[in-house]
């Protein structure tokens, strides 16, 4: 079977050790004990010269699409059955494989923060409760899907912020990592991209694809004995109502722009209005100013100017800053020029250039023994890797200005506003804390929502339009300092007093080795 045929929808879209661990759980009859895993990330993307101060969560619906289709198929079980160990004996046992082929991921209870919401380090984004082996097996696909789409959605949100409300188009498919480009496009749309050239994903998502034309169109016509102007006219005649011409094949200002203006004048005689031009090389800010000046002089000041070529949030910020300075030298209003810009962003968006992965992790935080949940803890020499244990809820505290002031992680039955005053603690250092007054807090929004409970999906997945609105609302609630492109202000993620004390107690117990072994594995 070709790996390109629905490979990502299969049950075996996972790491091998998820299956070998599950065999161990099965052998010791702990495969069906109830456990809790939390998905979260430890740090924002750092792009080197600039850093993110927030992330945008994406990928949840895609993960559930995988979950609903990932029933082990006969050929997958047969593949596992034929695997041998170093003694040439079957690696997996028959009774385990019999159990495996009958598993149902619908038995997992799942809560999650909705897609499109701003998320921060250490906050549980997805919490999964259910049989140990099932919760273990889904780790890899969950991380694969959520980490990448969240990474790209975050990059897209920063790019959209830098563009100051101007249209942003995703041109990244050709530079994406294989079919991951489809997931990347979805993440980009959630993050703020307005349109994409990825036609297949637009079809799947119910969107309208957008694009212009390549240099090869002009090159081909010239090679066949025609001129650049004739190449432009051929494109314009074919697409008279959506004509955007790429003008930098020969010389942007001396050839491409004059020929584009001539073509636009011909379209006018046909009663058609040209859409605009695209520039894919050179000093994009300078060229945008010069092109706008000439287009305005020719009566085409309403034409858009699409800029592309290795754009990201910092480059777009620099382009706009340069335009604001240079436009005045030509007695032009920089706001008029900027209002005509469209940004085609490709490689640096779809690959999240500078920060190629999100350090999202999936960790065991609780085990159910008899009728009660026991918190589970992982201790590390690195404080950032010491887990926040137990069954938890996260509240976003909104101050009286309507701004998010902190994400507070609490134990499941806590509510932060039950007291007039309460103390919140740094997630890694219990010596760092703040005392908050209830009167200074407008509301406490519970972030996680039930998604799958008792074998059923209990959540209505929102449309992309609704997800984008959620992102816009969450970003409005962030202080401008947190949204800065460079050296953003640190947003506070904190622990409640009870949760902080629980973790400190567990750490002390672990280090003193006071925990007793209740069961023998012999």
């Amino acid at each position: 079977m070709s790996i390109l045929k629905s490979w990502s929808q299969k049950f075996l879209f996972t790491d091998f050790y998820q299956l070998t661990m599950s065999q161990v759980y099965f052998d010791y009859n702990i495969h069906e004990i109830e456990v809790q895993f939390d998905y979260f990330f430890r740090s924002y993307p750092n792009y080197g010269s600039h850093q993110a101060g927030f992330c945008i969560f994406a990928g949840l619906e895609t993960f559930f699409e995988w979950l609903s289709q990932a029933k082990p198929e006969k050929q997958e079980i047969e593949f596992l059955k034929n695997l041998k160990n170093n003694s040439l004996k079957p690696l997996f046992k028959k009774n385990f494989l019999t159990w495996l082929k009958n598993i149902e991921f619908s038995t997992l209870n799942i809560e999650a923060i909705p897609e499109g919401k701003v998320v921060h380090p250490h906050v549980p984004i997805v919490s999964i409760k259910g049989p140990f082996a099932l919760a273990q097996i889904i780790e890899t696909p969950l991380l694969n899907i959520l980490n990448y789409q969240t990474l790209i959605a975050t990059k897209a949100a920063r790019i959209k912020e830098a563009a100051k409300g101007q249209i942003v188009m995703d041109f990244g498919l050709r530079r994406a990592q294989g079919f991951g480009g489809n997931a990347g496009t979805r993440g980009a749309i959630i993050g703020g991209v307005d349109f994409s050239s990825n036609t297949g994903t637009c079809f799947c998502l119910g969107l309208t694809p957008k694009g212009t034309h390549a240099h090869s169109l002009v090159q081909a016509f010239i090679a066949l004995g025609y001129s650049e102007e004739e190449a432009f006219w051929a494109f314009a005649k074919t697409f008279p109502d959506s004509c955007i011409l790429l003008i930098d094949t020969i010389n942007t200002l001396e050839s491409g722009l004059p020929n584009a203006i001539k073509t636009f004048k011909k379209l006018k005689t046909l009663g058609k209005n040209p859409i605009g031009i695209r520039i894919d090389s050179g000093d994009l800010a300078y060229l945008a100013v010069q092109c706008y000046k000439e287009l305005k002089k020719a009566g085409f000041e309403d034409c858009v100017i699409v800029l592309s070529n290795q754009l990201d949030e910092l480059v777009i910020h620099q382009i706009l800053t340069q335009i604001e300075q240079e436009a005045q030298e030509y007695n032009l209003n920089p706001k008029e020029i900027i209002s005509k810009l469209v940004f085609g962003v490709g490689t640096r968006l779809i690959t999240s250039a500078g920060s190629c992965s999100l350090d999202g992790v999936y960790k065991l935080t609780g085990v159910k023994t008899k009728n009660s949940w026991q918190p589970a803890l992982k201790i590390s020499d690195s404080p950032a890797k010491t887990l926040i244990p137990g069954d938890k809820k996260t509240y976003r505290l909104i101050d009286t200005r309507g701004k998010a002031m902190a994400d507070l992680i609490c134990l499941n039955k806590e509510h932060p506003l039950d007291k007039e005053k309460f103390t919140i603690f740094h997630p890694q250092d219990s010596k760092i804390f703040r005392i908050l007054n209830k009167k200074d807090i407008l509301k406490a929004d519970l972030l996680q929502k039930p998604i799958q409970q008792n074998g059923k999906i209990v959540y209505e997945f929102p449309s992309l339009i609704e997800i984008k609105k959620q992102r816009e609302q969450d970003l409005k609630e962030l202080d401008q300092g947190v949204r800065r492109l460079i050296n953003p202000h640190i947003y506070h993620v904190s622990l409640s007093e009870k949760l902080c004390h629980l973790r400190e107690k567990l750490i002390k117990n672990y280090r003193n080795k006071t925990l007793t072994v209740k069961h023998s594995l012999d």
Side-chain angles (χ1 to χ4, degrees), residues 393-407:
K393 299 287 188 185
T394 306
Y395 292 89
R396 181 156 296 162
L397 305 182
I398 307 297
D399 65 21
T400 52
R401 303 172 301 147
K403 297 294 184 181
M405 61 187 297
D407 280 10

Side-chain angles (χ1 to χ4, degrees), residues 56 116 157 189-192 467-475:
I56 302 296
I189 294 293
I190 287 173
I467 294 173
K468 288 163 77 76
K469 286 180 178 178
Q470 179 67 75
R471 183 204 75 247
E472 292 169 0
Q473 176 60 37
D474 273 29
L475 287 175

Side-chain angles (χ1 to χ4, degrees), residues 20-169:
T20 55
M21 285 191 292
S22 297
Q23 172 75 80
V24 174
Y25 302 156
F26 185 87
D27 283 351
Y28 287 94
N29 199 33
I30 60 173
H31 61 296
E32 291 187 343
I33 66 169
E34 293 285 303
V35 299
Q36 176 171 334
F37 280 85
D38 288 341
Y39 165 70
F40 59 95
F41 65 93
R42 293 193 176 109
S43 60
Y44 302 114
N46 187 323
Y47 309 101
S49 59
H50 51 111
Q51 309 80 32
F54 62 87
C55 283
I56 302 296
F57 179 46
L60 185 65
E61 187 172 0
T62 306
F63 170 67
F64 270 87
E65 288 174 357
W66 176 84
L67 203 65
S68 68
Q69 300 176 55
K71 180 74 175 174
E73 296 180 1
K74 181 178 179 180
Q75 60 267 38
E76 292 175 301
I77 297 296
E78 194 68 22
F79 169 74
L80 297 177
K81 179 181 178 181
N82 291 329
L83 293 178
K84 309 295 182 184
N85 62 22
N86 288 342
S87 300
L88 299 181
K89 294 180 180 179
L91 186 66
F92 294 105
K93 298 175 182 177
K94 288 183 179 180
N95 56 355
F96 169 71
L97 294 177
T98 299
W99 171 82
L100 191 65
K101 71 181 180 181
N102 294 312
I103 63 173
E104 295 287 346
F105 288 126
S106 61
T107 59
L108 296 169
N109 290 329
I110 303 175
E111 291 187 348
I113 295 175
E115 289 188 274
K117 287 196 70 66
V118 165
V119 287
H120 300 284
H122 308 295
V123 171
I125 299 172
V126 180
S127 294
I128 294 181
K129 292 180 180 178
F132 196 179
L134 293 191
Q136 184 74 68
I137 288 170
I138 68 170
E139 174 184 10
T140 297
L142 181 145
L143 290 174
N144 174 278
I145 294 166
L146 302 188
N147 279 345
Y148 180 58
Q149 288 199 36
T150 299
L151 180 77
I152 302 305
T154 301
K155 188 72 168 177
R158 288 170 55 77
I159 289 169
K160 184 66 176 178
E161 291 260 296
K164 295 186 176 180
Q166 294 305 114
I167 290 174
V168 176
M169 298 171 64

Side-chain angles (χ1 to χ4, degrees), residues 428-440:
Q428 278 86 50
D429 189 346
S430 61
K431 296 182 179 65
I432 302 174
F433 60 89
R434 286 194 298 164
I435 298 175
L436 300 182
N437 291 300
K438 181 177 178 179
K439 64 181 179 62
D440 297 325

